[in-house]
Amino acid sequence: MLSLPLLKKNFKENDRLWLLSAGILTVFTLLMVGMYDPSLEEHLRALAASLPEAVQGALGIQVVENSMTGFLSAYLFGFLFLALPLIYEIVLARRLVERLVKKGTMAYLLNTVVSRKKLIITQGYYLAVSLFALFFYGAALGGLSVWLVFPEEMELSTFFLLYVGAFCLHFFLSGLCFAVSCISSRDQQYLLLGILLPLLFYLFYMLSRASDALFFLGYLTPFSLFDVGLILSGSIHLVWMLPLLAVGGAALYGLGIFLFRRRELNI
């Protein structure tokens, strides 16, 4: 139950945002793959150790393993794959719903043959699919780069599980942004819940890793369910952690659709 004309409109209007995010992803991924050298293990460890422990913890680079997968997990998934998609989904979720309501475009669309249910499902679908496409591109780029440069370093299952885990996390966060956008009619509302709340989650995550005294903050943020160390070790906890993020994300998308269909709009 999708509106194809609206879906095409979304692709056309938001392609630059996606391409910009993919471009940043490309630069950093190729940079990290190009920087890796197994013979420089001790230098990399010394570089990580030279940083204050709080900074190491916040950026997720306490340990630099002597493998390409371990290296990328520290320097890409410790920061880039947490921050970049978060910015993308915060901006896009607002564009797809809250901004349309504010500008009056939503009222125009609902006065056409597009039903409210079909419209909001299309918007949520585009957000989720474009986010998936970003991670699919990142996984393909990273996998191909590693295979071409260091084929013997390719730990296929662990490597792609990192991308799957990061996507599950951001599927949850994008669902949160989408649900907030569905109930917001003013910038202040979206700023409070759609922007500050995800950023607060991220701050809690960094603080919980930066200091043992603040470890409890990790229980207050979904970022803790994407644990790179557990993925590298193949922990059994991944059986419930990643599915929990995926189910939670689906529930938030569903909640956003439910709330939007029942909110009052000036049409």
Side-chain angles (χ1 to χ4, degrees), residues 208-251:
S208 69
R209 296 171 64 87
S211 171
D212 292 338
L214 299 174
F215 178 78
F216 70 93
L217 291 177
Y219 294 105
L220 304 178
T221 171
F223 281 92
S224 296
L225 294 176
F226 172 59
D227 192 309
V228 172
L230 294 181
I231 292 177
L232 292 177
S233 64
S235 171
I236 191 63
H237 293 293
L238 297 176
V239 173
W240 65 268
M241 293 172 73
L242 299 186
L244 182 60
L245 286 170
V247 171

Side-chain angles (χ1 to χ4, degrees), residues 55-69:
V55 175
Q56 294 180 40
L59 298 181
I61 58 174
Q62 302 100 314
V63 178
V64 179
E65 296 188 4
N66 188 27
S67 70
M68 174 60 80
T69 304

Side-chain angles (χ1 to χ4, degrees), residues 101-154:
V101 173
K102 179 183 175 183
K103 292 174 61 178
T105 308
M106 187 67 73
Y108 168 78
L109 292 172
L110 292 176
N111 277 318
T112 64
V113 294
V114 181
S115 67
R116 183 180 292 210
K117 179 180 180 181
K118 180 181 288 189
L119 184 150
I120 197 59
I121 289 177
T122 301
Q123 300 302 79
Y125 175 84
Y126 176 78
L127 175 58
V129 168
S130 66
L131 184 66
F132 175 80
L134 188 63
F135 276 92
F136 184 85
Y137 170 76
L141 174 69
L144 180 61
S145 301
V146 173
W147 182 75
L148 289 175
V149 181
F150 296 103
E152 70 283 356
E153 294 283 342
M154 192 67 170

Side-chain angles (χ1 to χ4, degrees), residues 86-212:
L86 180 60
I87 296 172
Y88 175 78
E89 58 217 18
I90 285 175
V91 174
L92 185 57
R94 177 181 177 271
R95 284 186 178 186
L96 292 174
V97 186
E98 188 267 342
R99 191 174 71 169
L100 295 184
V101 173
K102 179 183 175 183
K103 292 174 61 178
T105 308
M106 187 67 73
Y108 168 78
L109 292 172
L110 292 176
N111 277 318
T112 64
V113 294
V114 181
S115 67
R116 183 180 292 210
K117 179 180 180 181
K118 180 181 288 189
L119 184 150
I120 197 59
I121 289 177
T122 301
Q123 300 302 79
Y125 175 84
Y126 176 78
L127 175 58
V129 168
S130 66
L131 184 66
F132 175 80
L134 188 63
F135 276 92
F136 184 85
Y137 170 76
L141 174 69
L144 180 61
S145 301
V146 173
W147 182 75
L148 289 175
V149 181
F150 296 103
E152 70 283 356
E153 294 283 342
M154 192 67 170
E155 300 172 26
L156 193 62
S157 59
T158 303
F159 183 80
F160 287 114
L161 188 56
L162 286 168
Y163 286 92
V164 171
F167 172 73
C168 288
L169 169 64
H170 286 285
F171 182 63
F172 177 91
L173 293 169
S174 66
L176 173 62
C177 294
F178 178 72
V180 172
S181 188
C182 286
I183 62 174
S184 300
S185 57
R186 299 191 305 271
D187 289 339
Q188 293 84 349
Q189 292 176 326
Y190 191 72
L191 173 65
L192 182 62
L193 295 176
I195 299 179
L196 293 184
L197 187 56
L199 293 180
L200 189 63
F201 283 150
Y202 186 53
L203 178 62
F204 283 170
Y205 171 74
M206 291 194 297
L207 291 176
S208 69
R209 296 171 64 87
S211 171
D212 292 338

Side-chain angles (χ1 to χ4, degrees), residues 39-73:
S39 65
L40 297 179
E41 176 196 1
E42 293 302 323
H43 296 285
L44 293 171
R45 289 184 179 274
L47 175 62
S50 66
L51 298 174
E53 291 186 6
V55 175
Q56 294 180 40
L59 298 181
I61 58 174
Q62 302 100 314
V63 178
V64 179
E65 296 188 4
N66 188 27
S67 70
M68 174 60 80
T69 304
F71 179 80
L72 292 181
S73 71

